Amino acid sequence: MKIRGDLKKKTTTSHMLHKLITVILLPMSIVIAILIGILGWYSIQYRTILHNVTAASEFNQDFKNDIDLKMFYYVSDSAYSEGKPVDEVESARELADQLLKQTQEKASIDAIESVRDLCITLEERMDEIDDASSYDEGMVQLENNIYILTELIQTFMYDYLYHESVHLSQLQAELTRELQYLIIATIVSVILLVIAIGVYTSHTTEKITNPLTKLTNRVKDIQKGDFEQRIPVEAQEIEVQTLSDGFEEMVGQLNSLIQENKKAERRKRHAELELLQAQINPHFLYNTLDTIIWLIEADKKEDSIQMVSALSDFFRFCLSRGKDIITLEEEEKHVLSYLAIQKVRYQDRMDYEVIIPKDLYDYSIPKLTLQPLVENSIYHGIKLQREKGSIRVEAVDLGDKIELSVRDNGAGMTEERLAEMRTAIENGEKTGFGLRTVHERMQLLFGEEYGLTIASTEGVGTTVIAVIPKIRNSEKGIINV
């Protein structure tokens, strides 16, 4: 299948959609990236300040009272003394160093630097208390140094908290202002983007929908029965052009298949008509009626009645109320009525046996499949020998198929004659008409893999095998009848 037009001037629908997506996503991605960046930066700043304020508040809550109380017990040599609170002061200094690294505001930096320096001084004054010569001197140092230093540390920490709280409030106000600007910019960008997308989409849609509208009108023409192949619709998109080209090619193939199907249907109906005409053979009818007359003249009333009944059944099953597909049970009755008639005619020269399992009765089979095979065994096998012959009709379940076989111990065929029969069946020649018609009809109904196979040995007998798909009578609609 060839694509019409200059391929370099065409584009794929996928490429057009990618361009459309790019037009939509690129500006949106930029806006979203800016928004995420601003929100991320402010979020980091906000979390950092909030963490610093929280840590400073926890420190400042009990620092002075704890240090003052522990130093009082230490100086007074109280039994409750746990030693100098050196670790607490060192932790306070480390906290000040940490806050100093994370603080950006100048006023806050000054306050926290003062806290750090006062912590260092506090550690030195705590060491000097050990050099006090008396309790009174220790208490004086406690009052003049320790208590004052802890008060200053707490005061500067309050200053730090105040400045950071102000910074936090300013940061929040700045974030609100930036978001307002960003929202306005986003709304403007979206409006411009919608206008651009609308223009581009309208242009793109028109290029796609116009050829599709023409294809839709073409489908409507086909629905009305127009199966003539036409020139494909011209389209800029490779997919639409390929669809149009393939569509017209498919229409051409469909038209060819319809014509072939009509020819096959005519061949099938012709074969069925020929087969039905062959069953209403004047010679067979004359011979059967002569046999009935002979039975009546011989005063064999019961035999003549059975003969007339078998003949009636035979022709009734031939017609089958106009059905082309019947059940295996109905085909068995048809064969039995035919064999009953021939048994009366040939009397002691022929025996027969029909073995069809009852669990296969409900499966479908083309009408007049077995009877022509049995007729072939009688006239080309049993009739040509002097000894008593036998015919065995059997059905075997093969899973998804049913094998039907007709075996006789008649005259059989030479290898040359067998080859001629097989060639005649495959090529549709007139030799072996009944077998040829059955074979052709089976292939028309089920496919080339089905049909008849023949095996024969001169002086031993002949076996004809027909394999049909295993289809229940309720599913016969799937057969190409």
PDB file of all heavy atoms in Angstrom, residues 52 96-117 156-157 159-164 167:
ATOM      1  N   ASN A  52      14.225  27.685  64.517  1.00  0.00           N
ATOM      2  CA  ASN A  52      15.074  28.490  65.407  1.00  0.00           C
ATOM      3  C   ASN A  52      14.261  29.079  66.553  1.00  0.00           C
ATOM      4  O   ASN A  52      14.699  29.082  67.722  1.00  0.00           O
ATOM      5  CB  ASN A  52      15.742  29.608  64.618  1.00  0.00           C
ATOM      6  CG  ASN A  52      16.758  29.068  63.620  1.00  0.00           C
ATOM      7  OD1 ASN A  52      17.175  27.912  63.716  1.00  0.00           O
ATOM      8  ND2 ASN A  52      17.149  29.893  62.665  1.00  0.00           N
ATOM      9  N   ALA A  96      23.491  28.371  70.699  1.00  0.00           N
ATOM     10  CA  ALA A  96      23.710  29.717  70.159  1.00  0.00           C
ATOM     11  C   ALA A  96      24.535  29.649  68.885  1.00  0.00           C
ATOM     12  O   ALA A  96      24.258  30.364  67.903  1.00  0.00           O
ATOM     13  CB  ALA A  96      24.378  30.593  71.205  1.00  0.00           C
ATOM     14  N   ASP A  97      25.582  28.786  68.872  1.00  0.00           N
ATOM     15  CA  ASP A  97      26.387  28.630  67.656  1.00  0.00           C
ATOM     16  C   ASP A  97      25.540  28.097  66.502  1.00  0.00           C
ATOM     17  O   ASP A  97      25.667  28.545  65.353  1.00  0.00           O
ATOM     18  CB  ASP A  97      27.558  27.684  67.920  1.00  0.00           C
ATOM     19  CG  ASP A  97      28.612  28.312  68.841  1.00  0.00           C
ATOM     20  OD1 ASP A  97      28.688  29.558  68.859  1.00  0.00           O
ATOM     21  OD2 ASP A  97      29.325  27.559  69.517  1.00  0.00           O
ATOM     22  N   GLN A  98      24.679  27.125  66.804  1.00  0.00           N
ATOM     23  CA  GLN A  98      23.822  26.551  65.758  1.00  0.00           C
ATOM     24  C   GLN A  98      22.836  27.590  65.211  1.00  0.00           C
ATOM     25  O   GLN A  98      22.637  27.701  64.003  1.00  0.00           O
ATOM     26  CB  GLN A  98      23.064  25.338  66.316  1.00  0.00           C
ATOM     27  CG  GLN A  98      22.167  24.654  65.297  1.00  0.00           C
ATOM     28  CD  GLN A  98      21.421  23.470  65.900  1.00  0.00           C
ATOM     29  OE1 GLN A  98      21.633  23.119  67.060  1.00  0.00           O
ATOM     30  NE2 GLN A  98      20.547  22.869  65.101  1.00  0.00           N
ATOM     31  N   LEU A  99      22.226  28.355  66.118  1.00  0.00           N
ATOM     32  CA  LEU A  99      21.278  29.383  65.675  1.00  0.00           C
ATOM     33  C   LEU A  99      21.984  30.470  64.878  1.00  0.00           C
ATOM     34  O   LEU A  99      21.411  31.035  63.934  1.00  0.00           O
ATOM     35  CB  LEU A  99      20.556  29.988  66.884  1.00  0.00           C
ATOM     36  CG  LEU A  99      19.627  29.044  67.662  1.00  0.00           C
ATOM     37  CD1 LEU A  99      19.043  29.767  68.870  1.00  0.00           C
ATOM     38  CD2 LEU A  99      18.509  28.515  66.767  1.00  0.00           C
ATOM     39  N   LEU A 100      23.206  30.725  65.241  1.00  0.00           N
ATOM     40  CA  LEU A 100      23.970  31.752  64.535  1.00  0.00           C
ATOM     41  C   LEU A 100      24.218  31.352  63.083  1.00  0.00           C
ATOM     42  O   LEU A 100      24.197  32.194  62.185  1.00  0.00           O
ATOM     43  CB  LEU A 100      25.303  31.996  65.270  1.00  0.00           C
ATOM     44  CG  LEU A 100      26.138  33.192  64.785  1.00  0.00           C
ATOM     45  CD1 LEU A 100      25.354  34.491  64.947  1.00  0.00           C
ATOM     46  CD2 LEU A 100      27.451  33.264  65.561  1.00  0.00           C
ATOM     47  N   LYS A 101      24.435  30.060  62.812  1.00  0.00           N
ATOM     48  CA  LYS A 101      24.647  29.575  61.446  1.00  0.00           C
ATOM     49  C   LYS A 101      23.390  29.676  60.591  1.00  0.00           C
ATOM     50  O   LYS A 101      23.468  29.843  59.376  1.00  0.00           O
ATOM     51  CB  LYS A 101      25.125  28.116  61.480  1.00  0.00           C
ATOM     52  CG  LYS A 101      26.492  27.940  62.110  1.00  0.00           C
ATOM     53  CD  LYS A 101      26.847  26.456  62.155  1.00  0.00           C
ATOM     54  CE  LYS A 101      28.208  26.248  62.829  1.00  0.00           C
ATOM     55  NZ  LYS A 101      28.557  24.804  62.908  1.00  0.00           N
ATOM     56  N   GLN A 102      22.223  29.596  61.243  1.00  0.00           N
ATOM     57  CA  GLN A 102      20.970  29.537  60.491  1.00  0.00           C
ATOM     58  C   GLN A 102      20.220  30.870  60.477  1.00  0.00           C
ATOM     59  O   GLN A 102      19.136  30.963  59.914  1.00  0.00           O
ATOM     60  CB  GLN A 102      20.054  28.468  61.103  1.00  0.00           C
ATOM     61  CG  GLN A 102      20.650  27.071  61.045  1.00  0.00           C
ATOM     62  CD  GLN A 102      19.775  26.041  61.750  1.00  0.00           C
ATOM     63  OE1 GLN A 102      18.790  26.401  62.403  1.00  0.00           O
ATOM     64  NE2 GLN A 102      20.147  24.783  61.628  1.00  0.00           N
ATOM     65  N   THR A 103      20.803  31.885  61.104  1.00  0.00           N
ATOM     66  CA  THR A 103      20.120  33.177  61.214  1.00  0.00           C
ATOM     67  C   THR A 103      20.667  34.136  60.168  1.00  0.00           C
ATOM     68  O   THR A 103      21.888  34.193  59.927  1.00  0.00           O
ATOM     69  CB  THR A 103      20.308  33.761  62.619  1.00  0.00           C
ATOM     70  OG1 THR A 103      19.807  32.829  63.581  1.00  0.00           O
ATOM     71  CG2 THR A 103      19.544  35.071  62.765  1.00  0.00           C
ATOM     72  N   GLN A 104      19.751  34.895  59.551  1.00  0.00           N
ATOM     73  CA  GLN A 104      20.132  35.812  58.473  1.00  0.00           C
ATOM     74  C   GLN A 104      19.920  37.286  58.845  1.00  0.00           C
ATOM     75  O   GLN A 104      20.596  38.155  58.320  1.00  0.00           O
ATOM     76  CB  GLN A 104      19.341  35.485  57.202  1.00  0.00           C
ATOM     77  CG  GLN A 104      19.632  34.098  56.652  1.00  0.00           C
ATOM     78  CD  GLN A 104      18.826  33.796  55.411  1.00  0.00           C
ATOM     79  OE1 GLN A 104      17.993  34.610  55.015  1.00  0.00           O
ATOM     80  NE2 GLN A 104      19.071  32.644  54.810  1.00  0.00           N
ATOM     81  N   GLU A 105      18.980  37.574  59.716  1.00  0.00           N
ATOM     82  CA  GLU A 105      18.685  38.952  60.094  1.00  0.00           C
ATOM     83  C   GLU A 105      19.799  39.521  60.998  1.00  0.00           C
ATOM     84  O   GLU A 105      20.245  38.846  61.937  1.00  0.00           O
ATOM     85  CB  GLU A 105      17.347  39.027  60.815  1.00  0.00           C
ATOM     86  CG  GLU A 105      16.135  38.852  59.903  1.00  0.00           C
ATOM     87  CD  GLU A 105      16.025  39.958  58.896  1.00  0.00           C
ATOM     88  OE1 GLU A 105      15.959  41.142  59.309  1.00  0.00           O
ATOM     89  OE2 GLU A 105      16.025  39.667  57.674  1.00  0.00           O
ATOM     90  N   LYS A 106      20.214  40.787  60.711  1.00  0.00           N
ATOM     91  CA  LYS A 106      21.320  41.406  61.450  1.00  0.00           C
ATOM     92  C   LYS A 106      20.996  41.559  62.931  1.00  0.00           C
ATOM     93  O   LYS A 106      21.834  41.239  63.806  1.00  0.00           O
ATOM     94  CB  LYS A 106      21.606  42.800  60.856  1.00  0.00           C
ATOM     95  CG  LYS A 106      22.740  43.562  61.531  1.00  0.00           C
ATOM     96  CD  LYS A 106      24.063  42.834  61.308  1.00  0.00           C
ATOM     97  CE  LYS A 106      25.231  43.680  61.786  1.00  0.00           C
ATOM     98  NZ  LYS A 106      25.201  44.041  63.201  1.00  0.00           N
ATOM     99  N   ALA A 107      19.805  42.017  63.264  1.00  0.00           N
ATOM    100  CA  ALA A 107      19.435  42.206  64.673  1.00  0.00           C
ATOM    101  C   ALA A 107      19.421  40.877  65.407  1.00  0.00           C
ATOM    102  O   ALA A 107      19.855  40.783  66.568  1.00  0.00           O
ATOM    103  CB  ALA A 107      18.072  42.892  64.767  1.00  0.00           C
ATOM    104  N   SER A 108      18.927  39.846  64.740  1.00  0.00           N
ATOM    105  CA  SER A 108      18.894  38.519  65.370  1.00  0.00           C
ATOM    106  C   SER A 108      20.300  37.980  65.552  1.00  0.00           C
ATOM    107  O   SER A 108      20.607  37.331  66.575  1.00  0.00           O
ATOM    108  CB  SER A 108      18.064  37.555  64.505  1.00  0.00           C
ATOM    109  OG  SER A 108      16.740  38.021  64.369  1.00  0.00           O
ATOM    110  N   ILE A 109      21.174  38.237  64.576  1.00  0.00           N
ATOM    111  CA  ILE A 109      22.565  37.772  64.684  1.00  0.00           C
ATOM    112  C   ILE A 109      23.254  38.436  65.872  1.00  0.00           C
ATOM    113  O   ILE A 109      23.968  37.780  66.656  1.00  0.00           O
ATOM    114  CB  ILE A 109      23.314  38.054  63.373  1.00  0.00           C
ATOM    115  CG1 ILE A 109      22.755  37.170  62.253  1.00  0.00           C
ATOM    116  CG2 ILE A 109      24.809  37.824  63.543  1.00  0.00           C
ATOM    117  CD1 ILE A 109      23.347  37.480  60.901  1.00  0.00           C
ATOM    118  N   ASP A 110      23.050  39.734  66.027  1.00  0.00           N
ATOM    119  CA  ASP A 110      23.665  40.445  67.156  1.00  0.00           C
ATOM    120  C   ASP A 110      23.181  39.885  68.487  1.00  0.00           C
ATOM    121  O   ASP A 110      23.973  39.698  69.432  1.00  0.00           O
ATOM    122  CB  ASP A 110      23.327  41.935  67.071  1.00  0.00           C
ATOM    123  CG  ASP A 110      23.987  42.603  65.861  1.00  0.00           C
ATOM    124  OD1 ASP A 110      24.983  42.027  65.348  1.00  0.00           O
ATOM    125  OD2 ASP A 110      23.513  43.671  65.433  1.00  0.00           O
ATOM    126  N   ALA A 111      21.884  39.606  68.571  1.00  0.00           N
ATOM    127  CA  ALA A 111      21.328  39.098  69.823  1.00  0.00           C
ATOM    128  C   ALA A 111      21.877  37.733  70.159  1.00  0.00           C
ATOM    129  O   ALA A 111      22.262  37.462  71.308  1.00  0.00           O
ATOM    130  CB  ALA A 111      19.803  39.066  69.721  1.00  0.00           C
ATOM    131  N   ILE A 112      21.958  36.845  69.177  1.00  0.00           N
ATOM    132  CA  ILE A 112      22.403  35.482  69.457  1.00  0.00           C
ATOM    133  C   ILE A 112      23.914  35.430  69.684  1.00  0.00           C
ATOM    134  O   ILE A 112      24.412  34.579  70.423  1.00  0.00           O
ATOM    135  CB  ILE A 112      21.976  34.526  68.313  1.00  0.00           C
ATOM    136  CG1 ILE A 112      21.950  33.072  68.844  1.00  0.00           C
ATOM    137  CG2 ILE A 112      22.879  34.634  67.109  1.00  0.00           C
ATOM    138  CD1 ILE A 112      20.925  32.829  69.901  1.00  0.00           C
ATOM    139  N   GLU A 113      24.669  36.371  69.042  1.00  0.00           N
ATOM    140  CA  GLU A 113      26.101  36.458  69.350  1.00  0.00           C
ATOM    141  C   GLU A 113      26.312  36.882  70.804  1.00  0.00           C
ATOM    142  O   GLU A 113      27.217  36.379  71.484  1.00  0.00           O
ATOM    143  CB  GLU A 113      26.772  37.461  68.406  1.00  0.00           C
ATOM    144  CG  GLU A 113      26.995  36.910  67.014  1.00  0.00           C
ATOM    145  CD  GLU A 113      27.692  37.922  66.111  1.00  0.00           C
ATOM    146  OE1 GLU A 113      27.709  39.122  66.479  1.00  0.00           O
ATOM    147  OE2 GLU A 113      28.200  37.523  65.047  1.00  0.00           O
ATOM    148  N   SER A 114      25.480  37.797  71.284  1.00  0.00           N
ATOM    149  CA  SER A 114      25.571  38.216  72.684  1.00  0.00           C
ATOM    150  C   SER A 114      25.284  37.046  73.612  1.00  0.00           C
ATOM    151  O   SER A 114      25.942  36.868  74.645  1.00  0.00           O
ATOM    152  CB  SER A 114      24.578  39.354  72.948  1.00  0.00           C
ATOM    153  OG  SER A 114      24.891  40.483  72.154  1.00  0.00           O
ATOM    154  N   VAL A 115      24.273  36.230  73.261  1.00  0.00           N
ATOM    155  CA  VAL A 115      23.965  35.050  74.067  1.00  0.00           C
ATOM    156  C   VAL A 115      25.158  34.118  74.130  1.00  0.00           C
ATOM    157  O   VAL A 115      25.526  33.592  75.188  1.00  0.00           O
ATOM    158  CB  VAL A 115      22.733  34.328  73.489  1.00  0.00           C
ATOM    159  CG1 VAL A 115      22.531  32.980  74.182  1.00  0.00           C
ATOM    160  CG2 VAL A 115      21.479  35.190  73.656  1.00  0.00           C
ATOM    161  N   ARG A 116      25.801  33.893  72.956  1.00  0.00           N
ATOM    162  CA  ARG A 116      26.964  32.994  72.930  1.00  0.00           C
ATOM    163  C   ARG A 116      28.113  33.534  73.799  1.00  0.00           C
ATOM    164  O   ARG A 116      28.720  32.792  74.588  1.00  0.00           O
ATOM    165  CB  ARG A 116      27.432  32.831  71.479  1.00  0.00           C
ATOM    166  CG  ARG A 116      28.605  31.877  71.324  1.00  0.00           C
ATOM    167  CD  ARG A 116      29.216  32.009  69.961  1.00  0.00           C
ATOM    168  NE  ARG A 116      29.695  33.401  69.758  1.00  0.00           N
ATOM    169  CZ  ARG A 116      30.181  33.837  68.608  1.00  0.00           C
ATOM    170  NH1 ARG A 116      30.224  33.051  67.546  1.00  0.00           N
ATOM    171  NH2 ARG A 116      30.600  35.083  68.501  1.00  0.00           N
ATOM    172  N   ASP A 117      28.393  34.832  73.655  1.00  0.00           N
ATOM    173  CA  ASP A 117      29.499  35.418  74.440  1.00  0.00           C
ATOM    174  C   ASP A 117      29.194  35.386  75.929  1.00  0.00           C
ATOM    175  O   ASP A 117      30.085  35.107  76.760  1.00  0.00           O
ATOM    176  CB  ASP A 117      29.727  36.863  73.994  1.00  0.00           C
ATOM    177  CG  ASP A 117      30.230  36.961  72.546  1.00  0.00           C
ATOM    178  OD1 ASP A 117      30.748  35.928  72.054  1.00  0.00           O
ATOM    179  OD2 ASP A 117      30.081  38.032  71.924  1.00  0.00           O
ATOM    180  N   PHE A 156      18.708  38.708  76.120  1.00  0.00           N
ATOM    181  CA  PHE A 156      19.142  38.687  74.722  1.00  0.00           C
ATOM    182  C   PHE A 156      18.438  37.589  73.913  1.00  0.00           C
ATOM    183  O   PHE A 156      18.213  37.743  72.703  1.00  0.00           O
ATOM    184  CB  PHE A 156      20.670  38.518  74.634  1.00  0.00           C
ATOM    185  CG  PHE A 156      21.419  39.788  74.876  1.00  0.00           C
ATOM    186  CD1 PHE A 156      22.190  39.957  76.025  1.00  0.00           C
ATOM    187  CD2 PHE A 156      21.334  40.832  73.968  1.00  0.00           C
ATOM    188  CE1 PHE A 156      22.877  41.139  76.255  1.00  0.00           C
ATOM    189  CE2 PHE A 156      22.023  42.019  74.192  1.00  0.00           C
ATOM    190  CZ  PHE A 156      22.795  42.176  75.333  1.00  0.00           C
ATOM    191  N   MET A 157      18.105  36.471  74.575  1.00  0.00           N
ATOM    192  CA  MET A 157      17.376  35.416  73.887  1.00  0.00           C
ATOM    193  C   MET A 157      15.975  35.904  73.548  1.00  0.00           C
ATOM    194  O   MET A 157      15.441  35.597  72.466  1.00  0.00           O
ATOM    195  CB  MET A 157      17.316  34.151  74.742  1.00  0.00           C
ATOM    196  CG  MET A 157      16.743  32.952  73.990  1.00  0.00           C
ATOM    197  SD  MET A 157      17.717  32.502  72.522  1.00  0.00           S
ATOM    198  CE  MET A 157      19.110  31.678  73.297  1.00  0.00           C
ATOM    199  N   ASP A 159      15.280  39.005  72.949  1.00  0.00           N
ATOM    200  CA  ASP A 159      15.497  39.887  71.798  1.00  0.00           C
ATOM    201  C   ASP A 159      15.584  39.084  70.501  1.00  0.00           C
ATOM    202  O   ASP A 159      15.017  39.472  69.468  1.00  0.00           O
ATOM    203  CB  ASP A 159      16.786  40.702  71.997  1.00  0.00           C
ATOM    204  CG  ASP A 159      16.640  41.748  73.092  1.00  0.00           C
ATOM    205  OD1 ASP A 159      15.473  42.049  73.461  1.00  0.00           O
ATOM    206  OD2 ASP A 159      17.667  42.257  73.582  1.00  0.00           O
ATOM    207  N   TYR A 160      16.327  37.963  70.584  1.00  0.00           N
ATOM    208  CA  TYR A 160      16.462  37.108  69.393  1.00  0.00           C
ATOM    209  C   TYR A 160      15.094  36.599  68.940  1.00  0.00           C
ATOM    210  O   TYR A 160      14.764  36.633  67.744  1.00  0.00           O
ATOM    211  CB  TYR A 160      17.390  35.924  69.714  1.00  0.00           C
ATOM    212  CG  TYR A 160      17.480  34.914  68.584  1.00  0.00           C
ATOM    213  CD1 TYR A 160      18.309  35.150  67.495  1.00  0.00           C
ATOM    214  CD2 TYR A 160      16.726  33.739  68.626  1.00  0.00           C
ATOM    215  CE1 TYR A 160      18.384  34.239  66.462  1.00  0.00           C
ATOM    216  CE2 TYR A 160      16.804  32.819  67.581  1.00  0.00           C
ATOM    217  CZ  TYR A 160      17.632  33.076  66.510  1.00  0.00           C
ATOM    218  OH  TYR A 160      17.697  32.166  65.484  1.00  0.00           O
ATOM    219  N   LEU A 161      14.287  36.139  69.901  1.00  0.00           N
ATOM    220  CA  LEU A 161      12.954  35.640  69.571  1.00  0.00           C
ATOM    221  C   LEU A 161      12.097  36.731  68.957  1.00  0.00           C
ATOM    222  O   LEU A 161      11.340  36.489  68.006  1.00  0.00           O
ATOM    223  CB  LEU A 161      12.276  35.073  70.833  1.00  0.00           C
ATOM    224  CG  LEU A 161      12.827  33.751  71.366  1.00  0.00           C
ATOM    225  CD1 LEU A 161      12.176  33.398  72.707  1.00  0.00           C
ATOM    226  CD2 LEU A 161      12.563  32.632  70.363  1.00  0.00           C
ATOM    227  N   TYR A 162      12.216  37.935  69.466  1.00  0.00           N
ATOM    228  CA  TYR A 162      11.421  39.048  68.950  1.00  0.00           C
ATOM    229  C   TYR A 162      11.793  39.341  67.494  1.00  0.00           C
ATOM    230  O   TYR A 162      10.926  39.446  66.621  1.00  0.00           O
ATOM    231  CB  TYR A 162      11.631  40.286  69.824  1.00  0.00           C
ATOM    232  CG  TYR A 162      11.055  41.539  69.214  1.00  0.00           C
ATOM    233  CD1 TYR A 162       9.676  41.773  69.228  1.00  0.00           C
ATOM    234  CD2 TYR A 162      11.893  42.480  68.602  1.00  0.00           C
ATOM    235  CE1 TYR A 162       9.152  42.920  68.650  1.00  0.00           C
ATOM    236  CE2 TYR A 162      11.370  43.623  68.023  1.00  0.00           C
ATOM    237  CZ  TYR A 162      10.002  43.836  68.055  1.00  0.00           C
ATOM    238  OH  TYR A 162       9.485  44.952  67.469  1.00  0.00           O
ATOM    239  N   HIS A 163      13.101  39.474  67.252  1.00  0.00           N
ATOM    240  CA  HIS A 163      13.549  39.810  65.893  1.00  0.00           C
ATOM    241  C   HIS A 163      13.202  38.695  64.898  1.00  0.00           C
ATOM    242  O   HIS A 163      12.806  38.962  63.758  1.00  0.00           O
ATOM    243  CB  HIS A 163      15.060  40.067  65.886  1.00  0.00           C
ATOM    244  CG  HIS A 163      15.458  41.308  66.630  1.00  0.00           C
ATOM    245  ND1 HIS A 163      14.935  42.550  66.328  1.00  0.00           N
ATOM    246  CD2 HIS A 163      16.321  41.494  67.682  1.00  0.00           C
ATOM    247  CE1 HIS A 163      15.456  43.457  67.155  1.00  0.00           C
ATOM    248  NE2 HIS A 163      16.310  42.842  67.988  1.00  0.00           N
ATOM    249  N   GLU A 164      13.327  37.423  65.322  1.00  0.00           N
ATOM    250  CA  GLU A 164      12.990  36.314  64.426  1.00  0.00           C
ATOM    251  C   GLU A 164      11.497  36.254  64.167  1.00  0.00           C
ATOM    252  O   GLU A 164      11.055  35.925  63.054  1.00  0.00           O
ATOM    253  CB  GLU A 164      13.468  34.986  65.030  1.00  0.00           C
ATOM    254  CG  GLU A 164      14.962  34.764  64.935  1.00  0.00           C
ATOM    255  CD  GLU A 164      15.453  34.654  63.509  1.00  0.00           C
ATOM    256  OE1 GLU A 164      15.297  33.581  62.895  1.00  0.00           O
ATOM    257  OE2 GLU A 164      15.977  35.679  62.989  1.00  0.00           O
ATOM    258  N   HIS A 167      10.834  38.848  61.663  1.00  0.00           N
ATOM    259  CA  HIS A 167      11.295  38.355  60.353  1.00  0.00           C
ATOM    260  C   HIS A 167      10.317  37.331  59.771  1.00  0.00           C
ATOM    261  O   HIS A 167      10.033  37.329  58.567  1.00  0.00           O
ATOM    262  CB  HIS A 167      12.689  37.731  60.519  1.00  0.00           C
ATOM    263  CG  HIS A 167      13.284  37.301  59.216  1.00  0.00           C
ATOM    264  ND1 HIS A 167      14.250  36.321  59.136  1.00  0.00           N
ATOM    265  CD2 HIS A 167      13.055  37.709  57.939  1.00  0.00           C
ATOM    266  CE1 HIS A 167      14.586  36.150  57.879  1.00  0.00           C
ATOM    267  NE2 HIS A 167      13.870  36.986  57.125  1.00  0.00           N
TER     268      HIS A 167
END
